Amino acid sequence: MNFDPRYSTRNFTSVGTRPIRPDGVDKVTGRARYGADFNMAGQLVGRVLRSPHAHAVIRKIDTSKAEKLTGVKAVITAADLPDLTDGDAAMYDILDNCMARKTAFYDGHAVAAVAAVDARTARQALKLIEVDYEVLPHVTDVDEAMKHSAPVLNDTIFTEGLEEKPAKPSNVTKRSQYGHGDVHEGFAQADYIVERSYRTEQTHQGYIEPHACVASVSSDGTADLWVCTQGHFVYRQHCAQLLGMDVSKLRVTSSEIGGGFGGKTHVWAEPVALALSRKAGRPVKLVMTREEVFRASGPTSATSIDVRIGARKDGTIAAAEATLRYSCGPYAGMWAELGAMTAFACYKLENVKTVGYEVLVNRPKTAAYRAPSAPMAAFAVESAVDELAKEVGMDPVEFRIRNAAQEGTRSSYGPVYGPIGIGPTLEAAKNHPHMKAPLGKNQGRGMACGFWFNFGGQTCTDLNIGMDGSVSLAVGTVDVGGSRASLSLVAAEELGIAYEQVKAVVADTSSLGYNDMTDGSRGTFSSSMATISAARNAIKILRERAAQTWDIPVDDVVWEKGHAIAKGDKYGNLAALSLKEIAAASGKTGGPIAGHSELVADGAGVSFATHICDIEVDPETGATRVVRYTVVQDAGKAVHPTYVEGQYQGGAAQGIGWALNEEYIYGKDGRLQNPGFLDYRIPVCSDLPMIDTQILEIPNPNHPYGVRGVGETSIVPPLAAIANAVSNAAGVRMTHIPMSPPRILAAIEAEQAG
């Protein structure tokens, strides 16, 4: 059946309602099984030995003493994970990150692993492994790493994106550029120009559940992996390739996930667990400690950004440019490129240019954090936009409205926009009661806009109708934000049945076709499209069965409100058949009734948000208090509004922590000083106000219901909104994230001394 993904106006019965979440009871009662909750008979305990150095050559590893320890069943090094990547540089980086081969590139880099009968024995075994290191000079700062005097991490890296290949290797892996027009000419026309440099420090996603898995490799080469992940199909692909297995022989089952936010889109310990199990001949359970999560899994980039924006007297932006330097850890990435693409995406610009530099440093391999790279770029750009509005003499909201992108605008990164929500979110923010509320002593208000692309991708879904009329929906996108409830609503909507009749499950990799990683805000967007397609395929079969029962042409049967109806006066004597009735007779009319769909969900639809924030600053200590916070964002169509609001609030809460407290702190020795929640402080309830939300619905023309992804955009504006609020409250422009009390106090004192 051909599937038409285009938006069409309709009245909804199930979609847009707020049923109770199906996983709630199991989660609050402890019955839900997360990564560390799964066990297998005879399983061993896996532990990883990690480098204590930021940069060191591994001269020799002696595992003989560990192997002789009673209770140790396997010890592995890079030799047990041979290079099978066949020249695939990205896969080789994944392999090297999972187990250092010749060089340890950061504090916490895995160099060996053991599997033993219990945790105590495993820890003892790690102490018996002898590693001979040659310590090398290191660099952890993004700007320092770009200097000619910096130690080069990889002498095979020559900067891509230049007109000519450089003569020497460097830590800059790639230069990317976006924009259009002539910025030099634009700045010549500008009456006001703001130019500043900004910095953001590295942060972690802060998910509560650490990485955990159980791996079991059988003697016949088949294997099972139970894991907390955002994409079990991708994990299967990567693990199979790294271990030289057939993809079909590795079954991966995703557990409940205790937060990921992009941090569980990469394999870290899973290939190690599989290699240990293969060598030991028994299942292996490997759970990262919190310290390991911080030292050895993927944080965000640290950044250094220069922004220059010019405007005419009437408030029109004449030109805008930015240079963005993003750290990648020791492996190439595309983080600065994403920053360069998103930096000015909210605005209609005649002349714009962004240049991004990917920079290698001796820190863990960078991973996504919600809308990766966009929050840092927005912090810099939206801070400069606020200053420019004041130079022009305009209200910051009005200034943004004047320059906001519209349908038909050529974006700063290339494509022309369709229907978009940046203008409506700004108008809603302008008219929101929060914007008119009075401020108290030492309080400031800030606002900012944010953008994210959203993605679709490969998606597969099965919908099976039981003989009792209940529906089982098998999806391959991991539920990271309530998608099981949303997809059940979509299936109920299409079939015309009650939400309670649908049960959605996340199928393992052997039970369903391939699905891309649940990232890019694609979960509900892509799987709802596949669910609609699968449901419509099932409805086609339901109509055929009804036609067979009535002995009439199938073209004379329509599906309405969960019933097959014979259309036309000539069938007035035929009573409608419900889904339940048709399903009950399925054994006599052709067998099971199911709908299947596999598709590439294109046209995800870009997303925009505007945030408002009130901050109180203590001028004597630099301490801050978030007084009020409001999120206005376009959802396209809110399938389950409560979950949508939760996504908005979650992004804002994480952004508050990022803006005010969170950062990786490295010592002069290149070692992480705060690998735990005691010293790496994420917000707790007492740090946050009640976060207000306003859902706007500008339909995405490329989805039958108009759905857009919502999970990532909400983390883009907070850094800038909070920085603008703090700057207004403190009377000094803040340019360094996080704005911790010492940084704010230092800025106030410098301004007063100035």
Side-chain angles (χ1 to χ4, degrees):
M1 176 180 176
N2 292 327
F3 175 66
D4 185 356
R6 290 176 297 179
Y7 171 72
S8 60
T9 304
R10 61 183 291 171
N11 295 318
F12 293 101
T13 301
S14 296
V15 167
T17 61
R18 301 173 183 257
I20 295 173
R21 57 188 300 162
D23 55 336
V25 173
D26 282 352
K27 286 183 175 177
V28 299
T29 58
R31 293 183 62 188
R33 294 206 296 175
Y34 292 87
D37 292 329
F38 187 74
N39 297 288
M40 297 184 73
Q43 76 182 19
L44 303 171
V45 176
R47 288 288 186 272
V48 178
L49 181 67
R50 302 187 179 278
S51 169
H53 305 293
H55 195 195
V57 172
I58 302 171
R59 288 173 171 167
K60 182 181 179 183
I61 302 179
D62 185 349
T63 62
S64 59
K65 293 179 182 178
E67 290 167 347
K68 294 174 183 176
L69 182 65
T70 302
V72 171
K73 302 301 180 182
V75 181
I76 67 167
T77 64
D80 297 282
L81 283 166
D83 180 10
L84 304 175
T85 60
D86 194 25
D88 186 330
M91 286 304 299
Y92 181 83
D93 286 350
I94 294 171
L95 175 67
D96 189 70
N97 188 55
C98 288
M99 188 66 70
R101 312 189 80 68
K102 299 176 182 178
T103 305
F105 283 112
Y106 56 89
D107 168 41
H109 199 166
V111 296
V114 303
V117 293
D118 55 39
R120 180 181 179 184
T121 305
R123 288 193 296 268
Q124 288 179 322
L126 292 183
K127 294 177 181 178
L128 294 174
I129 298 175
E130 298 175 358
V131 185
D132 181 13
Y133 294 103
E134 177 189 344
V135 179
L136 301 174
H138 65 270
V139 60
T140 58
D141 180 84
V142 63
D143 286 329
E144 292 296 321
M146 291 186 70
K147 294 180 179 179
H148 294 298
S149 58
V152 175
L153 273 65
N154 188 334
D155 59 12
T156 67
I157 294 291
F158 293 82
T159 306
E160 296 179 13
L162 302 178
E163 291 184 4
E164 295 183 8
K165 181 179 178 180
K168 295 181 179 181
S170 78
N171 292 324
V172 180
T173 68
K174 184 179 180 181
R175 178 190 184 274
S176 54
Q177 180 174 320
Y178 290 88
H180 54 259
D182 186 333
V183 291
H184 297 293
E185 182 180 331
F187 280 117
Q189 299 172 7
D191 298 300
Y192 304 94
I193 295 176
V194 168
E195 186 171 3
R196 277 199 187 269
S197 296
Y198 304 86
R199 287 184 65 88
T200 69
E201 298 300 330
Q202 193 165 51
T203 54
H204 197 271
Q205 299 86 355
Y207 38 82
I208 302 303
E209 179 199 24
H211 297 268
C213 65
V214 179
S216 179
V217 181
S218 300
S219 57
D220 63 358
T222 60
D224 276 281
L225 180 67
W226 165 279
V227 61
C228 56
T229 173
Q230 291 179 236
H232 47 314
F233 288 89
V234 175
Y235 274 38
R236 177 186 65 171
Q237 203 83 11
H238 287 177
C239 288
Q241 184 173 347
L242 294 179
L243 276 82
M245 302 173 63
D246 291 338
V247 167
S248 61
K249 292 184 177 181
L250 175 58
R251 180 176 64 176
V252 182
T253 304
S254 64
S255 68
E256 290 287 352
I257 184 168
F261 315 111
K264 292 177 181 171
T265 58
H266 300 249
V267 294
W268 310 104
E270 296 76 18
V272 174
L274 285 162
L276 284 169
S277 176
R278 180 168 62 183
K279 192 168 186 177
R282 288 169 61 177
V284 173
K285 184 173 186 176
L286 203 162
V287 181
M288 278 189 173
T289 64
R290 182 63 58 188
E291 180 176 321
E292 287 180 301
V293 169
F294 274 97
R295 291 175 62 209
S297 69
T300 65
S301 299
T303 73
S304 170
I305 303 173
D306 304 323
V307 174
R308 188 175 187 230
I309 312 179
R312 303 182 182 94
K313 290 179 180 179
D314 65 357
T316 304
I317 295 177
E321 65 177 345
T323 302
L324 309 97
R325 298 167 289 272
Y326 280 59
S327 67
C328 300
Y331 306 105
M334 59 176 295
W335 311 110
E337 184 170 7
L338 290 172
M341 293 173 74
T342 61
F344 293 106
C346 291
Y347 299 107
K348 179 175 60 177
L349 301 172
E350 300 171 6
N351 306 291
V352 58
K353 177 183 177 182
T354 58
V355 178
Y357 294 95
E358 319 288 349
V359 186
L360 302 184
V361 294
N362 292 116
R363 296 191 181 207
K365 176 182 169 69
T366 297
Y369 184 3
R370 279 189 122 136
S373 303
M376 306 83 132
F379 160 62
V381 168
E382 290 293 298
S383 294
V385 166
D386 233 49
E387 282 198 272
L388 186 57
K390 291 178 182 177
E391 289 287 325
V392 175
M394 288 183 66
D395 175 84
V397 181
E398 293 289 356
F399 183 79
R400 287 172 171 85
I401 290 173
R402 173 162 295 191
N403 292 285
Q406 305 165 357
E407 183 174 357
T409 294
R410 182 184 178 188
S411 68
S412 57
Y413 63 96
V416 175
Y417 289 134
I420 56 173
I422 180 62
T425 67
L426 282 164
E427 292 288 349
K430 174 185 173 182
N431 297 316
H432 197 281
H434 183 170
M435 197 61 82
K436 303 174 179 64
L439 291 168
K441 184 180 179 181
N442 297 323
Q443 293 181 359
R445 177 166 298 143
M447 57 82 58
C449 300
F451 159 90
W452 186 243
F453 311 95
N454 293 332
F455 301 116
Q458 300 176 79
T459 313
C460 183
T461 298
D462 272 338
L463 186 149
N464 293 279
I465 300 175
M467 294 184 70
D468 62 354
S470 63
V471 174
S472 175
L473 181 66
V475 301
T477 45
V478 175
D479 186 352
V480 297
S483 60
R484 280 172 293 188
S486 297
L487 298 175
S488 295
L489 285 170
V490 169
E493 186 73 46
E494 283 294 316
L495 295 172
I497 60 177
Y499 164 81
E500 291 75 17
Q501 288 180 249
V502 183
K503 172 68 173 178
V505 297
V506 180
D508 65 58
T509 58
S510 294
S511 303
L512 198 63
Y514 181 83
N515 282 260
D516 279 330
M517 182 71 65
T518 306
D519 59 7
S521 298
R522 68 173 294 271
T524 296
F525 167 78
S526 62
S527 278
S528 66
M529 192 179 289
T531 297
I532 293 168
S533 174
R536 292 178 182 178
N537 288 336
I539 288 170
K540 180 176 182 292
I541 298 172
L542 288 163
R543 290 174 52 238
E544 290 171 351
R545 299 296 176 84
Q548 180 182 339
T549 300
W550 289 326
D551 195 21
I552 66 173
V554 69
D555 289 343
D556 289 346
V557 180
V558 296
W559 189 263
E560 294 179 1
K561 297 180 180 179
H563 292 76
I565 299 172
K567 62 180 181 180
D569 294 339
K570 59 184 176 180
Y571 300 127
N573 63 328
L574 295 178
L577 289 174
S578 68
L579 180 148
K580 185 174 182 179
E581 290 171 321
I582 298 171
S586 60
K588 300 176 182 178
T589 59
I593 301 173
H596 181 77
S597 175
E598 60 281 314
L599 49 79
V600 177
D602 291 325
V606 296
S607 176
F608 293 90
T610 298
H611 289 201
I612 314 166
C613 178
D614 295 351
I615 297 283
E616 183 175 294
V617 176
D618 186 331
E620 296 184 356
T621 65
T624 55
R625 180 173 69 91
V626 184
V627 179
R628 187 171 180 179
Y629 204 102
T630 300
V631 177
V632 183
Q633 185 174 324
D634 171 26
K637 176 61 185 177
V639 177
H640 192 306
T642 301
Y643 276 118
V644 172
E645 291 164 351
Q647 290 293 322
Y648 291 3
Q649 291 164 333
Q654 289 179 312
I656 289 169
W658 192 342
L660 297 177
N661 292 305
E662 298 179 39
E663 65 176 311
Y664 271 37
I665 300 172
Y666 278 86
K668 292 182 180 180
D669 59 358
R671 301 198 67 186
L672 183 61
Q673 303 296 301
N674 58 333
F677 286 139
L678 179 63
D679 297 310
Y680 181 97
R681 191 173 181 280
I682 63 173
V684 296
C685 290
S686 58
D687 296 315
L688 301 171
M690 292 300 293
I691 297 171
D692 193 12
T693 62
Q694 183 175 346
I695 299 173
L696 302 185
E697 295 185 327
I698 294 88
N700 174 12
N702 302 308
H703 187 282
Y705 295 177
V707 169
R708 299 177 190 267
V710 300
E712 293 177 284
T713 311
S714 53
I715 203 172
V716 180
L719 275 63
I722 294 166
N724 289 333
V726 170
S727 298
N728 291 332
V732 57
R733 174 52 56 178
M734 300 300 300
T735 60
H736 193 168
I737 295 289
M739 295 170 289
S740 57
R743 285 203 181 105
I744 293 174
L745 192 59
I748 292 173
E749 291 174 348
E751 181 74 10
Q752 291 172 345

